[in-house]
Each structure stands twice: as C-alpha cells, then as structure tokens.
Amino acid sequence: MNRKTLALPALAGLLAPVLVACGASNGGSGGGGDIVVGTTDQFVATEDAPAPFDPAFAYDTGAWNVLRQTVQTLMHVPRGSGAPVPEAAEKCGFTDKVSQSYRCTLRDGLTFADGTPVTAKDVKFSIERVLDIKSDNGTAALLAGIDTIEPKGDKEVVFHLKTPDATFPYKLSTPVAGILSKAKYDGQKLRDGFAIDGSGPYTVRVDHDGDRVTRAVFTKNPKYKGDIKLRNEKVELRSFADADAMGKAFDADEIDVMARAMSPDQIKDLTDKPKESVKLTEVPGLEIRYLGFNTEHPSVKDKAVRQAMAAVVDRGQIAGKVYGSTAQPLYSLIPSSIAGHTNSFFNRYGEPNARQAAEILRKADVSTPVKLTLHYTTDHYGPGTAKEFEALRGQLNATRLFDVTVKGVEWSKFRPAQKRGDYAVYGLGWFPDFPDPDNYIAPFLDADNFLNTPYANNVVRAQLIPASRREADRTAAAGTFARMQDIVATDVPVLPLWQGKQYVAAQADVSGVEWALNTSSDLQLWELGRGGA
C-alpha cells in the first residue's frame, strides 16, 4: 500500500492537540489506581436494538468506542491520524494497480483473549457475517464493496473487491471489520445483550442496570498481540445521563477524565477560569451536525421546501449563540478541514434570505406557512441540541413561511423511528468512520446508507462515488467530490449546519490525554496513564 498517496494533506496542520490549561496537583479517583473516564454516551438494549455491541449492528461512535478497545481489526488509524497501519495484520496492501485486490498477512501467534488462535478463516467469517446479517443500522454498507474473501492458509487473506476502492484500508480499520470467533458469535444472527469477545488490547466487563449500561471495565489482555502500546492496566468507562452529572462526578474526584461530550458551558468555564488541578485539551474534530429529511414525507417531498429551509437557516447564529467557540458554520456535508470540501450551500443560497425562500416556494406553488415538526435526540449529542432546535424553530417561524414545532426524543427511541421513516425532518450528527471525504458522502447517498433515506441519485451512486474511489491519490478526486456536494445543495436530502471541535478535561496527574480522542472521536483508552507520558 502506498501510504503517501492515502494521506490527507488537509489534515496535516490539524493534528497537534492544543493544551488549554494545566496544573500540577493530583486528583481524580483518589489520585491513583485505575483510570476512570466519564462519557455521556448511552448504551441501551431495546427491542429495536438488542445487540448494541455486536460489530454487525453497532454504528454509532459510543458503541464503536467500546468495541475499539476489545475487538481487533486488521488495520487501525495510528496515533495522530493518517493512513491506516497494520494492527492484527503483520502487513497489508493492494496487489494490483487499480485498488481492487487487497492482501493481508496475520501476525504470528495471534489469539483471541481465551487463547484460541485467530486465523484467516476467522477474518472471512467475521466480515461475511456482517454482510449476511445486513442489519438495518447501515453497518454492512461499509463492506458492501467486497466481492469475495479468499483465505490462503491460516495466516493470509485476500479481499477481491467489486470495484476499485482506495479507501478500503480505512474500512478494515473500523469495528464493523472486527475479527470474531465462531465459538462466540453466530454467523446468521446478532448477539443479544452486552457481551463482547475479541483479540483486542483489553477484555471487558460490562455492568448494567436492566437494559442500560452503567459502566464498562477494561482490563489489559495478556494475550494481545498487535500494534497498540498500552500505558495502563485497567480503565473504567462510566456512563452519565448528561454533561452536568458527568461534571459533578469530575469535580468530586469520582472520575479522572471527562470525554464525550462536555457541554459548551463547561468548556467555556474551564477556558475562561482555568483550574490548576485540571487540564483542558482541545482535540481536532471532524464532527458535523445536519438536518436529515424523509424525502417521501408529504411535508418535505417537494424539494422546494427543503431548498427554502436551506435559504433561511442562519448557521452562524446557531454556532455562535448555542455552541460558541466549539462550532463553526458548515456549508457542505464535507467539513472544511477535509480535502475536497466546497461551500456548495453558501455558493447556491448565500446569506440567510427570507425573500429568496419565499420565491422558491412561490415558483413551486407550495402553500405557506409550511407546517413541520423537527425531531431531535435529547440524550445523544449533549445539552446544546435542545437549544439548537429552539433556535432553528425561531429562525424558520420568523419568516412566516414555516410553522415549525420541535420535539425531543431519547436516542433509544429516536434512532429506530428515524430509520423507519417516522420523521419528516430530524437532527443527527456524524463522526466519520475514517477521515476521508468519501465517508461524508457514501453513508448519506449510497445504497443501504446510514440514514435509510428514500432519496436516491443514480448519478451519484452509479458514477461519482465509484469514480472517486478509483483515485489512490485522494486529492485527485476533489472535482468529483465537488460535483456531489453541488448535487446535495440542489436536492437538499440533508442540510448541513455546523462542524465542531472536541475537548477532553482531565485531572492533572493523568497523562496521554492529548491522544485519548482522535479526530474521528475514537476513544483510545490505552493512551491514558498516570504521571509522565
């Protein structure tokens, strides 16, 4: 694999974390012992999502952050981001010039945590299992480009792709491509509950209260063989209902680290009034937020309605008043820090303009005010989401072209309803599976996509996405990505709102914080330690 050609130049200047405040005093969990990390991610087993930690189903950042510690992948994105490097594999690379045949050789002595050898047949089983189950969560779409998987003995496996795909090494670094044991996982159905078995750097014990996880305790896996270097023996990930509850536990020294997701108020407070005992670290982020549409719903089926919304939404007001310095306006699905970004929505609609929106609706013969309900999740993206949707309602209703109400729903109910198409308009965030422009396009516009959207553009699916993946030099695909962004701005199946930064707060005696969260918001708990790095 030519790693130079897969690197993303636009990220080169983003990957040095910024230390906002630091001090020298000890704190957190009594100043020693196991490291305790707080998160507001919720892990719930429901009838619609009975297997939140099964790699064939899990497709949200929180669940992936549990899987990354425990289930090994052939490749992984190294510290500081960049092109994927071998993890469970000793070496991997394309064997042809068109990026359509990919070969990996496993490390010597690789075993699952129970001591069972990991073989090329386990790799084949694990990935074919994802494709066979094909859950409605959109997970299998990441691997849908695989035609056949060919084990060669115990250590070598060759992936034959349907079409060229230079992003394939990134896809092998995601938990969906996690290596599983046939003894622990059924090849044709999901594994219900919270149990996880793999060959990753940690084993895990999951504590739960009924159907809701309260904590996950990760213990160093003595049988682990891979590329990751662990800087601790044990880490606990503790789930909190919201950022305020997480903050109170942090102030009381019950946890050592506040990770995903601190509130804008917490970040502002620690920035404006730094504490000697606390380190606040800004980590480059690639998160985006957007409105999605069920384009078959009567209220938004006419794209003029969606275009009119795009013409009046004031992204700057939302970013500035709700999120402050932690967000900036976004005018494309691809964020400005990724190669291939263009300001397609600004180029088409300019500054918020109610007259322009009125003209769009008039030409389409759409009666006003257009009545809409905007749905958002109350417990997945932090406390700013409710304020954001109140601001959106105010902006849209102020034009008198819309009659908007907003409704908040907890994530365990919100996501299944969104996938079913129950909502005409809904708010979601996206943390990239890997830092490539393809991962801001295909999950929204390709077949079997993450949104389960009825919107389909055959030019994008059949021509432009495949064309972009043929380019091993990702910058060479910029023109193709520009065309797709322009199509999104014209049809508005999604409406980008803002892109965010991310922060981690830690007690001063915790080291490695600057590496514990990468640009894709992946937790790398193995980076955390006590004292010097």
Side-chain angles (χ1 to χ4, degrees):
M1 175 176 58
N2 187 337
R3 292 178 185 167
K4 289 183 180 179
T5 61
L6 281 175
L8 297 174
L11 285 174
L14 289 176
L15 300 178
V18 179
L19 205 60
V20 179
C22 64
S25 63
N26 292 333
S29 297
D34 302 338
I35 297 170
V36 184
V37 177
T39 180
T40 58
D41 288 320
Q42 305 295 305
F43 311 110
V44 185
T46 67
E47 184 176 347
D48 291 306
F53 295 144
D54 190 316
F57 178 84
Y59 204 11
D60 67 86
T61 302
W64 273 21
N65 280 338
V66 174
L67 289 171
R68 287 185 190 279
Q69 321 306 316
T70 52
V71 176
Q72 206 172 11
T73 49
L74 289 169
M75 306 287 285
H76 81 124
V77 175
R79 172 195 273 195
S81 196
V85 297
E87 214 294 77
E90 178 182 279
K91 59 182 179 180
C92 287
F94 285 107
T95 60
D96 59 357
K97 294 182 179 180
V98 296
S99 303
Q100 200 166 348
S101 180
Y102 196 75
R103 184 187 302 261
C104 289
T105 303
L106 296 176
R107 293 179 184 270
D108 288 334
L110 198 68
T111 71
F112 292 106
D114 65 2
T116 305
V118 175
T119 70
K121 289 182 180 179
D122 293 308
V123 175
K124 175 180 170 71
F125 162 77
S126 302
I127 292 180
E128 288 184 345
R129 176 178 181 270
V130 174
L131 297 171
D132 289 344
I133 292 175
K134 198 177 181 180
S135 81
D136 67 356
N137 221 20
T139 318
L142 271 177
L143 304 177
I146 296 173
D147 186 14
T148 59
I149 304 172
E150 181 185 3
K152 290 181 174 291
D154 287 339
K155 287 188 58 179
E156 197 167 83
V157 59
V158 180
F159 298 92
H160 302 284
L161 308 183
K162 297 174 184 175
T163 57
D165 185 2
T167 72
F168 189 66
Y170 280 108
K171 293 171 181 176
L172 288 183
S173 72
T174 64
V176 66
I179 305 171
L180 308 175
S181 167
K182 288 182 181 180
K184 302 293 177 66
Y185 290 82
D186 189 304
Q188 300 299 317
K189 65 180 182 179
L190 295 172
R191 185 180 188 180
D192 293 353
F194 304 115
I196 309 169
D197 289 279
S199 56
Y202 296 98
T203 59
V204 64
R205 186 193 81 236
V206 177
D207 296 341
H208 55 96
D209 182 5
D211 60 3
R212 189 175 296 268
V213 171
T214 55
R215 73 186 69 198
V217 180
F218 300 96
T219 302
K220 184 177 180 179
N221 175 12
K223 297 186 183 299
Y224 170 70
K225 292 182 182 292
D227 183 61
I228 293 168
K229 308 300 182 185
L230 279 72
R231 291 166 172 77
N232 57 66
E233 296 291 324
K234 185 179 288 187
V235 182
E236 177 184 322
L237 184 66
R238 194 176 300 177
S239 180
F240 292 91
D242 52 44
D244 286 342
M246 181 171 65
K248 289 177 182 177
F250 184 77
D251 291 340
D253 269 8
E254 295 172 5
I255 63 175
D256 300 290
V257 180
M258 286 197 291
R260 291 174 31 86
M262 296 175 65
S263 72
D265 289 342
Q266 288 171 330
I267 295 165
K268 185 176 187 302
D269 184 59
L270 286 172
T271 302
D272 295 345
K273 303 172 184 177
K275 300 177 181 179
E276 290 188 0
S277 61
V278 176
K279 294 182 290 189
L280 179 67
T281 304
E282 178 188 327
V283 183
L286 298 175
E287 170 191 8
I288 68 169
R289 297 285 180 88
Y290 58 92
L291 293 178
F293 298 93
N294 175 357
T295 54
E296 290 299 316
H297 193 283
S299 62
V300 294
K301 186 172 185 177
D302 193 324
K303 71 178 178 182
V305 175
R306 310 192 301 269
Q307 291 174 332
M309 293 175 69
V312 297
V313 165
D314 189 338
R315 297 165 175 81
Q317 182 191 61
I318 293 170
K321 290 191 175 181
V322 178
Y323 295 101
S325 62
T326 67
Q328 65 185 69
L330 178 64
Y331 297 94
S332 167
L333 274 176
I334 301 174
S336 60
S337 45
I338 289 283
H341 163 84
T342 59
N343 284 319
S344 296
F345 275 82
F346 188 85
N347 295 342
R348 183 174 181 88
Y349 302 102
E351 298 288 352
N353 188 327
R355 289 184 179 179
Q356 180 187 13
E359 182 65 10
I360 291 171
L361 294 171
R362 185 192 66 78
K363 285 183 177 180
D365 198 26
V366 175
S367 299
T368 58
V370 178
K371 193 169 184 177
L372 296 173
T373 299
L374 276 55
H375 285 82
Y376 68 92
T377 174
T378 57
D379 60 345
H380 197 65
Y381 299 117
T385 311
K387 296 178 183 178
E388 175 182 345
F389 274 74
E390 289 298 329
L392 283 168
R393 178 174 66 177
Q395 291 176 7
L396 292 167
N397 286 348
T399 67
R400 298 187 180 181
L401 300 172
F402 297 93
D403 179 7
V404 171
T405 58
V406 297
K407 185 174 182 181
V409 182
E410 68 176 56
W411 179 253
S412 62
K413 297 178 181 177
F414 174 90
R415 175 67 170 137
Q418 177 269 313
K419 288 187 293 185
R420 287 195 302 266
D422 293 355
Y423 305 147
V425 190
Y426 49 87
L428 279 172
W430 181 252
F431 300 86
D433 306 324
F434 49 88
D436 186 277
D438 176 86
N439 199 238
Y440 290 92
I441 295 292
F444 304 94
L445 304 181
D446 210 352
D448 300 319
N449 58 73
F450 164 75
L451 295 179
N452 199 27
T453 177
Y455 172 80
N457 185 296
N458 290 330
V459 172
V460 170
R461 290 186 180 181
Q463 299 177 28
L464 298 180
I465 290 177
S468 72
R469 290 173 175 169
R470 284 194 290 269
E471 301 291 352
D473 180 352
R474 304 306 289 146
T475 59
T480 304
F481 283 116
R483 285 186 62 191
M484 289 190 277
Q485 289 168 88
D486 288 344
I487 289 170
V488 172
T490 299
D491 291 351
V492 199
V494 291
L495 176 54
L497 297 173
W498 57 268
Q499 67 180 84
K501 302 175 184 178
Q502 52 187 358
Y503 293 81
V504 179
Q507 310 291 355
D509 70 327
V510 178
S511 62
V513 178
E514 64 271 31
W515 305 113
L517 201 65
N518 70 12
T519 57
S520 296
S521 206
D522 302 333
L523 272 178
Q524 300 175 139
L525 297 179
W526 51 84
E527 296 284 2
L528 297 174
R530 296 277 186 194

